[in-house]
Amino acid sequence: MPENGSGRRCCTPSRGEPARQAAVSVPSVPPAGLLADGMVRVSGGLFLMGAEDEWAVSGDGEGPVHPVRLAPFWIDRLAVSNAEFQNFVDATGHLTDAERYGWSFVFAGLLPVGFPDTRAVAEAPWWRQVYGACWRHPEGPASDVRERAEHPVVHVSWNDAAVYAAWAGKRLPTEAEWEYAARGGLERRVFPWGDELEPDGEHRMNVWQGSFPGHNTRRDGWYGTAPVTAYPRNGYGLHNMCGNVWEWCADWYSPVYYGNSPRDDPPGPSIGVQRVIRGGSYLCHASYCRRYRVAARSSSSPDSSTGNQGFRCARDDRPATAR
């Protein structure tokens, strides 16, 4: 059944502590070729943003549907991978918020049998506070990403993503840019490919299969994250705009601003407490909230990190330099 509009956002818990902004320190020259490789130019134009169908979550402010016009921009074809984030860390020595705090949120089903009990999120007990969990060790100190180089980096906060983007001479996409790109040229469709979740029985994204949170059939091929190149591209050549990992956007979150945003290149609210995340993740399931749609939105505090949050970058339609 569709959600009743309660606006629950426990699919990505926040730390519950005052947000703090990371200092941005970037090399004067970004790595050669990084600005050109792996990005798609989106021509921009007018599109209808938002949703008002039966699955729209009223508490999230998905509607009303309204016209928005965007200037051309560039966006990464893929979410940032572990391998790419490793290159960034090697070049800058960046320490993520999860590493600074000493812990991050991990989905309990990914923890090994016998893992010691740790604090759980009250409204979403499948989220566990795991000390030592970070982008290098997604399920805690005994795990690593050696076999997941091409999977999306996770346990990165908005602060971390913003620092990476600046280092790469890019930025995070605005919420409007993200949705326009995710739609891939389709107007008022539920998913990047249309309205049917599994057209002709084909899985098009990595979401929970079975009964959440206790049993995942893995019919789509994955239990946790999938590689950033998994599943077919959308009409703009972008992979995994829905499912796999939530993606940070530049905007502060507001349930009011979105449906009443300026018509031209809306930048998001000028102030806020939480940042926008879009796209859903491998933990999304229709029985809970079905936020794995192109119009769905959620939020988290800028210093929060979880095992299902990642990002991709964007840049303006002009030569870019590191900031």
PDB file of all heavy atoms in Angstrom, residues 80-103:
ATOM      1  N   VAL A  80      30.232   7.941  -7.617  1.00  0.00           N
ATOM      2  CA  VAL A  80      31.656   7.861  -7.272  1.00  0.00           C
ATOM      3  C   VAL A  80      31.937   6.501  -6.642  1.00  0.00           C
ATOM      4  O   VAL A  80      31.245   6.069  -5.712  1.00  0.00           O
ATOM      5  CB  VAL A  80      32.047   8.997  -6.322  1.00  0.00           C
ATOM      6  CG1 VAL A  80      33.487   8.842  -5.837  1.00  0.00           C
ATOM      7  CG2 VAL A  80      31.865  10.344  -7.017  1.00  0.00           C
ATOM      8  N   SER A  81      32.950   5.819  -7.161  1.00  0.00           N
ATOM      9  CA  SER A  81      33.266   4.461  -6.709  1.00  0.00           C
ATOM     10  C   SER A  81      34.290   4.471  -5.580  1.00  0.00           C
ATOM     11  O   SER A  81      34.939   5.493  -5.300  1.00  0.00           O
ATOM     12  CB  SER A  81      33.820   3.645  -7.882  1.00  0.00           C
ATOM     13  OG  SER A  81      35.095   4.136  -8.262  1.00  0.00           O
ATOM     14  N   ASN A  82      34.454   3.320  -4.961  1.00  0.00           N
ATOM     15  CA  ASN A  82      35.495   3.176  -3.943  1.00  0.00           C
ATOM     16  C   ASN A  82      36.871   3.465  -4.514  1.00  0.00           C
ATOM     17  O   ASN A  82      37.710   4.090  -3.859  1.00  0.00           O
ATOM     18  CB  ASN A  82      35.461   1.760  -3.357  1.00  0.00           C
ATOM     19  CG  ASN A  82      34.313   1.541  -2.399  1.00  0.00           C
ATOM     20  OD1 ASN A  82      34.076   2.346  -1.502  1.00  0.00           O
ATOM     21  ND2 ASN A  82      33.570   0.455  -2.584  1.00  0.00           N
ATOM     22  N   ALA A  83      37.123   3.014  -5.738  1.00  0.00           N
ATOM     23  CA  ALA A  83      38.428   3.242  -6.360  1.00  0.00           C
ATOM     24  C   ALA A  83      38.685   4.731  -6.556  1.00  0.00           C
ATOM     25  O   ALA A  83      39.796   5.228  -6.301  1.00  0.00           O
ATOM     26  CB  ALA A  83      38.510   2.511  -7.698  1.00  0.00           C
ATOM     27  N   GLU A  84      37.672   5.472  -7.005  1.00  0.00           N
ATOM     28  CA  GLU A  84      37.839   6.908  -7.205  1.00  0.00           C
ATOM     29  C   GLU A  84      38.017   7.628  -5.879  1.00  0.00           C
ATOM     30  O   GLU A  84      38.839   8.555  -5.775  1.00  0.00           O
ATOM     31  CB  GLU A  84      36.625   7.461  -7.955  1.00  0.00           C
ATOM     32  CG  GLU A  84      36.543   7.002  -9.401  1.00  0.00           C
ATOM     33  CD  GLU A  84      35.242   7.390 -10.062  1.00  0.00           C
ATOM     34  OE1 GLU A  84      34.180   7.231  -9.428  1.00  0.00           O
ATOM     35  OE2 GLU A  84      35.291   7.857 -11.220  1.00  0.00           O
ATOM     36  N   PHE A  85      37.283   7.210  -4.875  1.00  0.00           N
ATOM     37  CA  PHE A  85      37.425   7.854  -3.570  1.00  0.00           C
ATOM     38  C   PHE A  85      38.795   7.549  -2.973  1.00  0.00           C
ATOM     39  O   PHE A  85      39.395   8.398  -2.314  1.00  0.00           O
ATOM     40  CB  PHE A  85      36.313   7.400  -2.630  1.00  0.00           C
ATOM     41  CG  PHE A  85      36.061   8.339  -1.493  1.00  0.00           C
ATOM     42  CD1 PHE A  85      35.359   9.519  -1.684  1.00  0.00           C
ATOM     43  CD2 PHE A  85      36.530   8.060  -0.214  1.00  0.00           C
ATOM     44  CE1 PHE A  85      35.129  10.403  -0.630  1.00  0.00           C
ATOM     45  CE2 PHE A  85      36.310   8.929   0.841  1.00  0.00           C
ATOM     46  CZ  PHE A  85      35.610  10.106   0.640  1.00  0.00           C
ATOM     47  N   GLN A  86      39.306   6.348  -3.228  1.00  0.00           N
ATOM     48  CA  GLN A  86      40.658   5.998  -2.766  1.00  0.00           C
ATOM     49  C   GLN A  86      41.691   6.935  -3.385  1.00  0.00           C
ATOM     50  O   GLN A  86      42.617   7.400  -2.700  1.00  0.00           O
ATOM     51  CB  GLN A  86      40.972   4.556  -3.139  1.00  0.00           C
ATOM     52  CG  GLN A  86      42.369   4.091  -2.749  1.00  0.00           C
ATOM     53  CD  GLN A  86      42.519   3.880  -1.255  1.00  0.00           C
ATOM     54  OE1 GLN A  86      41.908   2.972  -0.704  1.00  0.00           O
ATOM     55  NE2 GLN A  86      43.320   4.712  -0.592  1.00  0.00           N
ATOM     56  N   ASN A  87      41.551   7.237  -4.687  1.00  0.00           N
ATOM     57  CA  ASN A  87      42.464   8.170  -5.342  1.00  0.00           C
ATOM     58  C   ASN A  87      42.425   9.538  -4.683  1.00  0.00           C
ATOM     59  O   ASN A  87      43.461  10.188  -4.488  1.00  0.00           O
ATOM     60  CB  ASN A  87      42.106   8.299  -6.823  1.00  0.00           C
ATOM     61  CG  ASN A  87      42.400   7.044  -7.614  1.00  0.00           C
ATOM     62  OD1 ASN A  87      43.213   6.207  -7.208  1.00  0.00           O
ATOM     63  ND2 ASN A  87      41.734   6.885  -8.747  1.00  0.00           N
ATOM     64  N   PHE A  88      41.229   9.988  -4.349  1.00  0.00           N
ATOM     65  CA  PHE A  88      41.046  11.274  -3.675  1.00  0.00           C
ATOM     66  C   PHE A  88      41.726  11.280  -2.300  1.00  0.00           C
ATOM     67  O   PHE A  88      42.460  12.219  -1.955  1.00  0.00           O
ATOM     68  CB  PHE A  88      39.543  11.544  -3.563  1.00  0.00           C
ATOM     69  CG  PHE A  88      39.135  12.499  -2.476  1.00  0.00           C
ATOM     70  CD1 PHE A  88      39.506  13.831  -2.526  1.00  0.00           C
ATOM     71  CD2 PHE A  88      38.339  12.070  -1.416  1.00  0.00           C
ATOM     72  CE1 PHE A  88      39.107  14.716  -1.532  1.00  0.00           C
ATOM     73  CE2 PHE A  88      37.935  12.944  -0.420  1.00  0.00           C
ATOM     74  CZ  PHE A  88      38.320  14.273  -0.478  1.00  0.00           C
ATOM     75  N   VAL A  89      41.512  10.230  -1.528  1.00  0.00           N
ATOM     76  CA  VAL A  89      42.111  10.146  -0.196  1.00  0.00           C
ATOM     77  C   VAL A  89      43.634  10.067  -0.292  1.00  0.00           C
ATOM     78  O   VAL A  89      44.357  10.717   0.471  1.00  0.00           O
ATOM     79  CB  VAL A  89      41.536   8.946   0.584  1.00  0.00           C
ATOM     80  CG1 VAL A  89      42.305   8.714   1.876  1.00  0.00           C
ATOM     81  CG2 VAL A  89      40.060   9.172   0.881  1.00  0.00           C
ATOM     82  N   ASP A  90      44.139   9.306  -1.266  1.00  0.00           N
ATOM     83  CA  ASP A  90      45.587   9.201  -1.444  1.00  0.00           C
ATOM     84  C   ASP A  90      46.200  10.565  -1.770  1.00  0.00           C
ATOM     85  O   ASP A  90      47.319  10.875  -1.346  1.00  0.00           O
ATOM     86  CB  ASP A  90      45.911   8.215  -2.569  1.00  0.00           C
ATOM     87  CG  ASP A  90      45.637   6.768  -2.193  1.00  0.00           C
ATOM     88  OD1 ASP A  90      45.443   6.489  -0.992  1.00  0.00           O
ATOM     89  OD2 ASP A  90      45.610   5.911  -3.099  1.00  0.00           O
ATOM     90  N   ALA A  91      45.458  11.376  -2.545  1.00  0.00           N
ATOM     91  CA  ALA A  91      45.984  12.673  -2.973  1.00  0.00           C
ATOM     92  C   ALA A  91      45.870  13.743  -1.897  1.00  0.00           C
ATOM     93  O   ALA A  91      46.685  14.676  -1.845  1.00  0.00           O
ATOM     94  CB  ALA A  91      45.251  13.135  -4.235  1.00  0.00           C
ATOM     95  N   THR A  92      44.881  13.641  -1.030  1.00  0.00           N
ATOM     96  CA  THR A  92      44.594  14.726  -0.083  1.00  0.00           C
ATOM     97  C   THR A  92      44.751  14.356   1.380  1.00  0.00           C
ATOM     98  O   THR A  92      44.844  15.249   2.230  1.00  0.00           O
ATOM     99  CB  THR A  92      43.147  15.223  -0.279  1.00  0.00           C
ATOM    100  OG1 THR A  92      42.236  14.159   0.071  1.00  0.00           O
ATOM    101  CG2 THR A  92      42.897  15.647  -1.730  1.00  0.00           C
ATOM    102  N   GLY A  93      44.719  13.057   1.691  1.00  0.00           N
ATOM    103  CA  GLY A  93      44.743  12.648   3.091  1.00  0.00           C
ATOM    104  C   GLY A  93      43.440  12.920   3.814  1.00  0.00           C
ATOM    105  O   GLY A  93      43.406  12.929   5.059  1.00  0.00           O
ATOM    106  N   HIS A  94      42.365  13.120   3.072  1.00  0.00           N
ATOM    107  CA  HIS A  94      41.073  13.460   3.680  1.00  0.00           C
ATOM    108  C   HIS A  94      40.617  12.388   4.655  1.00  0.00           C
ATOM    109  O   HIS A  94      40.680  11.190   4.382  1.00  0.00           O
ATOM    110  CB  HIS A  94      40.010  13.641   2.596  1.00  0.00           C
ATOM    111  CG  HIS A  94      38.651  13.948   3.134  1.00  0.00           C
ATOM    112  ND1 HIS A  94      38.303  15.197   3.607  1.00  0.00           N
ATOM    113  CD2 HIS A  94      37.540  13.167   3.291  1.00  0.00           C
ATOM    114  CE1 HIS A  94      37.052  15.180   4.023  1.00  0.00           C
ATOM    115  NE2 HIS A  94      36.562  13.970   3.848  1.00  0.00           N
ATOM    116  N   LEU A  95      40.146  12.830   5.808  1.00  0.00           N
ATOM    117  CA  LEU A  95      39.576  11.952   6.823  1.00  0.00           C
ATOM    118  C   LEU A  95      38.069  12.210   6.844  1.00  0.00           C
ATOM    119  O   LEU A  95      37.627  13.343   7.065  1.00  0.00           O
ATOM    120  CB  LEU A  95      40.188  12.252   8.184  1.00  0.00           C
ATOM    121  CG  LEU A  95      40.071  11.178   9.271  1.00  0.00           C
ATOM    122  CD1 LEU A  95      40.864   9.941   8.880  1.00  0.00           C
ATOM    123  CD2 LEU A  95      40.558  11.732  10.605  1.00  0.00           C
ATOM    124  N   THR A  96      37.274  11.183   6.604  1.00  0.00           N
ATOM    125  CA  THR A  96      35.825  11.356   6.519  1.00  0.00           C
ATOM    126  C   THR A  96      35.210  11.605   7.895  1.00  0.00           C
ATOM    127  O   THR A  96      35.822  11.325   8.933  1.00  0.00           O
ATOM    128  CB  THR A  96      35.164  10.119   5.898  1.00  0.00           C
ATOM    129  OG1 THR A  96      35.397   8.987   6.752  1.00  0.00           O
ATOM    130  CG2 THR A  96      35.703   9.832   4.508  1.00  0.00           C
ATOM    131  N   ASP A  97      33.978  12.110   7.874  1.00  0.00           N
ATOM    132  CA  ASP A  97      33.275  12.323   9.142  1.00  0.00           C
ATOM    133  C   ASP A  97      33.114  11.024   9.916  1.00  0.00           C
ATOM    134  O   ASP A  97      33.226  11.007  11.142  1.00  0.00           O
ATOM    135  CB  ASP A  97      31.899  12.948   8.877  1.00  0.00           C
ATOM    136  CG  ASP A  97      31.958  14.461   8.741  1.00  0.00           C
ATOM    137  OD1 ASP A  97      32.870  15.077   9.320  1.00  0.00           O
ATOM    138  OD2 ASP A  97      31.087  15.035   8.064  1.00  0.00           O
ATOM    139  N   ALA A  98      32.827   9.912   9.208  1.00  0.00           N
ATOM    140  CA  ALA A  98      32.687   8.624   9.901  1.00  0.00           C
ATOM    141  C   ALA A  98      33.973   8.255  10.624  1.00  0.00           C
ATOM    142  O   ALA A  98      33.944   7.724  11.749  1.00  0.00           O
ATOM    143  CB  ALA A  98      32.309   7.533   8.903  1.00  0.00           C
ATOM    144  N   GLU A  99      35.116   8.538  10.000  1.00  0.00           N
ATOM    145  CA  GLU A  99      36.398   8.243  10.642  1.00  0.00           C
ATOM    146  C   GLU A  99      36.647   9.186  11.819  1.00  0.00           C
ATOM    147  O   GLU A  99      37.207   8.780  12.844  1.00  0.00           O
ATOM    148  CB  GLU A  99      37.506   8.343   9.606  1.00  0.00           C
ATOM    149  CG  GLU A  99      37.444   7.224   8.566  1.00  0.00           C
ATOM    150  CD  GLU A  99      38.361   7.467   7.381  1.00  0.00           C
ATOM    151  OE1 GLU A  99      38.153   8.469   6.665  1.00  0.00           O
ATOM    152  OE2 GLU A  99      39.279   6.654   7.173  1.00  0.00           O
ATOM    153  N   ARG A 100      36.234  10.432  11.680  1.00  0.00           N
ATOM    154  CA  ARG A 100      36.422  11.387  12.779  1.00  0.00           C
ATOM    155  C   ARG A 100      35.561  11.012  13.990  1.00  0.00           C
ATOM    156  O   ARG A 100      36.012  11.068  15.133  1.00  0.00           O
ATOM    157  CB  ARG A 100      36.062  12.798  12.314  1.00  0.00           C
ATOM    158  CG  ARG A 100      36.989  13.372  11.251  1.00  0.00           C
ATOM    159  CD  ARG A 100      36.481  14.726  10.780  1.00  0.00           C
ATOM    160  NE  ARG A 100      37.196  15.212   9.625  1.00  0.00           N
ATOM    161  CZ  ARG A 100      38.331  15.901   9.671  1.00  0.00           C
ATOM    162  NH1 ARG A 100      38.864  16.183  10.842  1.00  0.00           N
ATOM    163  NH2 ARG A 100      38.909  16.311   8.559  1.00  0.00           N
ATOM    164  N   TYR A 101      34.310  10.649  13.725  1.00  0.00           N
ATOM    165  CA  TYR A 101      33.415  10.256  14.815  1.00  0.00           C
ATOM    166  C   TYR A 101      33.791   8.891  15.380  1.00  0.00           C
ATOM    167  O   TYR A 101      33.505   8.590  16.535  1.00  0.00           O
ATOM    168  CB  TYR A 101      31.972  10.208  14.323  1.00  0.00           C
ATOM    169  CG  TYR A 101      31.286  11.547  14.255  1.00  0.00           C
ATOM    170  CD1 TYR A 101      30.987  12.134  13.034  1.00  0.00           C
ATOM    171  CD2 TYR A 101      30.916  12.224  15.426  1.00  0.00           C
ATOM    172  CE1 TYR A 101      30.337  13.360  12.961  1.00  0.00           C
ATOM    173  CE2 TYR A 101      30.267  13.446  15.366  1.00  0.00           C
ATOM    174  CZ  TYR A 101      29.981  14.009  14.136  1.00  0.00           C
ATOM    175  OH  TYR A 101      29.338  15.222  14.077  1.00  0.00           O
ATOM    176  N   GLY A 102      34.358   8.034  14.543  1.00  0.00           N
ATOM    177  CA  GLY A 102      34.733   6.696  14.983  1.00  0.00           C
ATOM    178  C   GLY A 102      33.670   5.641  14.764  1.00  0.00           C
ATOM    179  O   GLY A 102      33.864   4.479  15.129  1.00  0.00           O
ATOM    180  N   TRP A 103      32.547   6.004  14.133  1.00  0.00           N
ATOM    181  CA  TRP A 103      31.479   5.040  13.885  1.00  0.00           C
ATOM    182  C   TRP A 103      30.584   5.527  12.759  1.00  0.00           C
ATOM    183  O   TRP A 103      30.611   6.694  12.368  1.00  0.00           O
ATOM    184  CB  TRP A 103      30.638   4.813  15.148  1.00  0.00           C
ATOM    185  CG  TRP A 103      29.889   6.031  15.627  1.00  0.00           C
ATOM    186  CD1 TRP A 103      30.352   6.994  16.484  1.00  0.00           C
ATOM    187  CD2 TRP A 103      28.553   6.432  15.261  1.00  0.00           C
ATOM    188  NE1 TRP A 103      29.393   7.964  16.691  1.00  0.00           N
ATOM    189  CE2 TRP A 103      28.276   7.640  15.956  1.00  0.00           C
ATOM    190  CE3 TRP A 103      27.579   5.886  14.437  1.00  0.00           C
ATOM    191  CZ2 TRP A 103      27.063   8.318  15.830  1.00  0.00           C
ATOM    192  CZ3 TRP A 103      26.359   6.553  14.314  1.00  0.00           C
ATOM    193  CH2 TRP A 103      26.117   7.748  15.001  1.00  0.00           C
TER     194      TRP A 103
END
